[in-house]
Amino acid sequence: MENLEKRHSILKLGSNKADILSAINQHAPISRTRLAELFDLSFTAVTHIVNEFIEIGVIKEVGDGHDLKPRGRRASFLQLNEDYGYIIGLEVTDVRVKSALADFAGNIKAVKRIIFENHSKDYLISTIIESIESLVEENNISWERVKGIGIGMHGLVDYENGISLTFPSSEEWANVPLKSIIEERFNIPAKLDARLYVATLAELIYGEGRYNPDFVYFNSGPGNGFNIGLVFSGQILRGKDGFAGQFGHLVLDPKGPRCFCGSRGCLVTLASPLAIEKKAIEAINEGINTSLTSIYKEKGTILFKDIADSALKGDKLSVNLIEEAGRYLGLGFSYVINLFAPPLVVLAGTLNSAGSMLLDTIKREIALHSVPQVYQGIEIKFSSLEEDVAARGAVVLIIREHLKKIAEAS
Amino acid sequence: MENLEKRHSILKLGSNKADILSAINQHAPISRTRLAELFDLSFTAVTHIVNEFIEIGVIKEVGDGHDLKPRGRRASFLQLNEDYGYIIGLEVTDVRVKSALADFAGNIKAVKRIIFENHSKDYLISTIIESIESLVEENNISWERVKGIGIGMHGLVDYENGISLTFPSSEEWANVPLKSIIEERFNIPAKLDARLYVATLAELIYGEGRYNPDFVYFNSGPGNGFNIGLVFSGQILRGKDGFAGQFGHLVLDPKGPRCFCGSRGCLVTLASPLAIEKKAIEAINEGINTSLTSIYKEKGTILFKDIADSALKGDKLSVNLIEEAGRYLGLGFSYVINLFAPPLVVLAGTLNSAGSMLLDTIKREIALHSVPQVYQGIEIKFSSLEEDVAARGAVVLIIREHLKKIAEAS
């Protein structure tokens, strides 16, 4: 049902027509009346525009399941047409590739995960290709029905040219033209962008961004992804070359551990899931008394989830590790808050499994290090979106490409 | 002369008509042809709109002094009409108030400075009033010709209600309704905003912002003003309650000196002109050998300018103080650059007198602490605007209020 009290935020696509399609994507189901209000157009003008898109088959009319018009006829709302085609969205982190199959309305139909066994360039590329291929074949989808492949990529990305510039844990990976590789392999249009960008996109279209034009989005991985998306007036602030949001590389301890970026003591080396797992294993090897030891002996490794679970059960080492990470994160967020004063900070990703223990530490530390009047009233909360958010954002990347082209052609 | 190669950035005012007036303010002298291009309107439509404004007298036609049309007739360009009225702009810092008298095109006609002798609330208010009164009377301006009074205020400001929330060095100053105080005293519309906001506004309208839609603006005082303005897509990012840009309160040393904001080790306590002056005086009192000692004995105080001058002459203490400040600033800017990736960082204010000694240290430190690919190609430069930039920005605040109202009424 339409939320009529809240202010609708719209992620722009360029022209008025494209923005209307974008609003339908972001606020479905949405009525013509509401669209007319949002775009300061007459009901007739909106009807004229959307009818054209209904004819093409890119959007469709639905009842929203709640609203009834006075005479009992179902109110007519608009949404993207699921049947317009399939989209594939990939999230590539430094630990795995996740591929998602979605309909054109962005509903996820199937998800597949492949853990990376090594970080050689050839292996990574072939595994990414395999994740697409097997997803389509296992779900008996005709390749002709796949409209595009979106990729949210770990590391720095040249999104304009579809080039993956870096993959921090792979030394031989540099300037890989992943977009062309995928397009040539599958003969389907592909689009590459940074993992954090597509995750922010998902939060904008399906999450807090629907009604919050200004917020900061943090995604803590898995792996070494540790950046933020900055949303200002409903649009994503990309910065020079799309490199804005390197939260993980704020140097919080100039004498700290060497980071893969070349600096020392970056936040990602101090508080990322991987950094915390590493510290836990070091402590176990030093013989510190912790319930993690038995897990480590059994599995041969420790995941952040294990540490979060143990912390909740009172394991002292685990609590210390999570609180230490929370203190570093809180200092980092105090910078973000002092500089941007976002009304809302949304936390997503692996670290969320530590729950309120982490959140409370972060909030306490922000309060210590930010200007009180600035922090006052700023909401810090966990994202309510499901875990495969970045793959879903990669789907949206493709949906929006299509909406833009359709609007241009109309 | 119009710069036709560069992309014109436009600070929006709301409606299309208001934006055209804003573009004339920001890019004067500007031709109708260029306006038509910028707003995607026909030449006729632009002519229709601007003719109305010429009739009202808010803009006027000028030759730009360079361009001649083929047959020798002077090309006709548009600018704000200087004679439309006078504007007063104030910059209030914690060391002084500067008042500027300007014509409606924003040209500064006279400037007056009054150093604050103390920080009692009554004294500050009466001195601010005096700075307006004497400026108008000394310049023989009729009060009827003054269109408005803009104030760029030190501390946190509730710009929507015209309330000065804090004045850090004055303990009795809290929630002072400065806008109403000025309006009641002079019976002239006033507008209050943060000093850093109006300084950023001046850089946007008259400086780098004319052709750079994305940049970060830093103004280092005088006094304890030490914040940044964030400009994204040609608009100023204000944040919750307009509090964005608290660069001076990034906590760089959690065990450092207590700051007036309540935290410890804020950048402003480590690298502001006042902080550096304080460190110099401490060193002199400790008997450290420095050429500053004689200046201190003679004047009873040390200004940052003295330290900068001594550093240029090779005084070791002065060099150390400036390089230390540069290192802190560089670390702070590495955060801004990693988070925001602005293509351009513009430095203004008191610290600029230290010149390349400071700039080189800042750049070196940014390179050490930011992601290399992000920092690569980012330009860090001194503002080329004159020193009274914030007062000029306070004038622009009023000009824009008028342009908006004129567009709404038309």
Side-chain angles (χ1 to χ4, degrees), chain A residues 115-126:
Chain A
I115 307 282
F116 292 136
E117 283 165 13
N118 66 66
H119 285 159
S120 80
K121 185 177 148 186
D122 288 348
Y123 170 80
L124 288 170
I125 292 174
S126 66

Side-chain angles (χ1 to χ4, degrees), chain A residues 240 245-246 251 335 339 341 376, chain B residues 240 245 251 335 338-339 341 376:
Chain A
K240 182 189 78 76
Q246 305 291 323
V251 172
Y335 298 154
L339 291 174
Q376 189 180 36
Chain B
K240 182 189 77 77
V251 172
Y335 298 154
N338 274 341
L339 291 174
Q376 188 179 37

Side-chain angles (χ1 to χ4, degrees), chain A residues 156 166 228 230 232 235-241 243-247 249-252 254 261 263 331 334-336 338-343 368-378, chain B residues 156 166 228 230 232 235-241 243-247 249-252 254 261 263 331 334-336 338-343 368-378:
Chain A
L156 294 172
T166 63
I228 57 172
L230 301 161
F232 168 58
Q235 320 309 309
I236 302 178
L237 194 159
R238 302 222 62 174
K240 182 189 78 76
D241 300 329
F243 289 162
Q246 305 291 323
F247 184 61
H249 296 289
L250 299 185
V251 172
L252 298 194
C261 78
S263 293
L331 180 59
S334 79
Y335 298 154
V336 173
N338 273 341
L339 291 174
F340 297 99
L368 265 178
H369 299 308
S370 59
V371 178
Q373 294 94 331
V374 178
Y375 180 43
Q376 189 180 36
I378 290 182
Chain B
L156 294 172
T166 63
I228 57 171
L230 301 162
F232 168 58
Q235 319 309 310
I236 301 178
L237 193 159
R238 302 221 62 173
K240 182 189 77 77
D241 300 329
F243 289 162
Q246 305 291 323
F247 184 61
H249 296 289
L250 299 185
V251 172
L252 298 194
C261 78
S263 294
L331 180 58
S334 80
Y335 298 154
V336 173
N338 274 341
L339 291 174
F340 199 68
L368 265 178
H369 299 308
S370 59
V371 178
Q373 294 93 332
V374 178
Y375 180 43
Q376 188 179 37
I378 290 182

Side-chain angles (χ1 to χ4, degrees), chain B residues 275-289:
Chain B
I276 300 169
E277 291 161 8
K278 207 175 139 196
K279 285 182 201 175
I281 292 171
E282 280 168 12
I284 292 167
N285 288 335
E286 281 168 19
I288 286 175
N289 184 22

Side-chain angles (χ1 to χ4, degrees), chain A residues 88-395:
Chain A
I88 293 171
L90 263 60
E91 178 196 28
V92 182
T93 69
D94 51 357
V95 294
R96 55 140 178 77
V97 52
K98 182 155 66 180
S99 52
L101 180 71
D103 63 30
F104 195 74
N107 302 303
I108 304 293
K109 298 299 178 185
V111 173
K112 191 179 170 70
R113 275 175 201 76
I114 308 180
I115 307 282
F116 292 136
E117 283 165 13
N118 66 66
H119 285 159
S120 80
K121 185 177 148 186
D122 288 348
Y123 170 80
L124 288 170
I125 292 174
S126 66
T127 307
I128 290 168
I129 287 173
E130 188 201 330
S131 78
I132 299 167
E133 205 154 42
S134 54
L135 181 75
V136 171
E137 285 168 6
E138 286 164 16
N139 288 282
N140 297 312
I141 301 299
S142 147
W143 285 101
E144 283 74 40
R145 296 276 292 139
V146 179
K147 290 265 175 194
I149 302 169
I151 308 167
M153 190 69 189
H154 182 55
L156 294 172
V157 169
D158 172 353
Y159 65 96
E160 282 176 356
N161 298 302
I163 294 167
S164 168
L165 301 172
T166 63
F167 194 93
S169 42
S170 172
E171 277 183 26
E172 49 174 352
W173 189 283
N175 305 323
V176 175
L178 201 55
K179 173 187 152 80
S180 346
I181 291 173
I182 300 293
E183 285 183 339
E184 278 163 29
R185 176 67 184 75
F186 294 105
N187 203 21
I188 291 172
K191 200 165 160 62
L192 188 72
D193 216 314
R195 173 180 167 275
L196 208 280
Y197 178 78
V198 301
T200 306
L201 203 52
E203 192 69 46
L204 245 173
I205 300 291
Y206 300 117
E208 297 294 336
R210 299 181 74 209
Y211 300 109
N212 293 290
D214 300 290
F215 68 96
V216 166
Y217 174 81
F218 171 59
N219 191 304
S220 56
N224 269 321
F226 218 58
N227 286 350
I228 57 172
L230 301 161
V231 178
F232 168 58
S233 292
Q235 320 309 309
I236 302 178
L237 194 159
R238 302 222 62 174
K240 182 189 78 76
D241 300 329
F243 289 162
Q246 305 291 323
F247 184 61
H249 296 289
L250 299 185
V251 172
L252 298 194
D253 179 4
K255 288 170 187 141
R258 177 70 67 187
C259 178
F260 55 82
C261 78
S263 293
R264 281 189 175 280
C266 292
L267 180 55
V268 70
T269 68
L270 302 166
S272 74
L274 278 187
I276 299 169
E277 291 161 8
K278 207 175 139 197
K279 285 182 201 175
I281 292 171
E282 280 168 12
I284 292 167
N285 288 336
E286 282 168 18
I288 286 175
N289 183 23
T290 164
S291 60
L292 294 172
T293 308
S294 59
I295 301 170
Y296 185 57
K297 280 188 180 154
E298 194 187 322
K299 300 202 299 184
T301 188
I302 291 284
L303 294 178
F304 180 75
K305 187 74 177 65
D306 303 320
I307 301 168
D309 289 345
S310 299
L312 288 176
K313 289 177 197 145
D315 178 64
K316 205 177 156 193
L317 172 71
S318 302
V319 170
N320 287 347
L321 288 173
I322 284 169
E323 288 187 347
E324 185 189 45
R327 285 194 298 275
Y328 281 121
L329 281 165
L331 180 59
F333 278 119
S334 79
Y335 298 154
V336 173
I337 283 167
N338 273 341
L339 291 174
F340 297 99
L344 172 68
V345 177
V346 183
L347 310 179
T350 304
L351 292 185
N352 281 13
S353 62
S356 62
M357 182 182 296
L358 181 73
L359 190 57
D360 292 347
T361 311
I362 289 175
K363 286 181 178 175
R364 201 169 51 234
E365 211 68 14
I366 294 174
L368 265 178
H369 299 308
S370 59
V371 178
Q373 294 94 331
V374 178
Y375 180 43
Q376 189 180 36
I378 290 182
E379 195 182 359
I380 319 273
K381 67 193 279 193
F382 289 133
S383 171
S384 58
L385 293 183
E386 62 283 11
E387 197 219 342
D388 51 10
V389 56
R392 206 173 170 202
V395 167

Side-chain angles (χ1 to χ4, degrees), chain A residues 3-75:
Chain A
N3 187 326
L4 298 175
E5 284 79 46
K6 290 189 185 172
R7 180 182 155 201
H8 289 50
S9 184
I10 298 170
L11 180 59
K12 302 230 165 104
L13 254 177
S15 67
N16 228 8
K17 278 188 176 182
D19 289 349
I20 286 176
L21 286 175
S22 181
I24 293 172
N25 182 21
Q26 195 168 8
H27 294 286
I30 186 167
S31 66
R32 289 173 175 82
T33 311
R34 176 44 59 118
L35 284 171
E37 279 169 30
L38 289 174
F39 288 90
D40 203 12
L41 291 170
S42 70
F43 184 84
T44 319
V46 166
T47 300
H48 183 77
I49 293 169
V50 301
N51 282 355
E52 192 184 340
F53 293 136
I54 291 173
E55 242 168 69
I56 301 171
V58 65
I59 60 172
K60 68 175 199 180
E61 285 182 286
V62 285
D64 80 341
H66 294 269
D67 242 44
L68 287 178
K69 281 204 173 170
R71 288 191 217 158
R73 189 160 64 82
R74 245 182 216 303

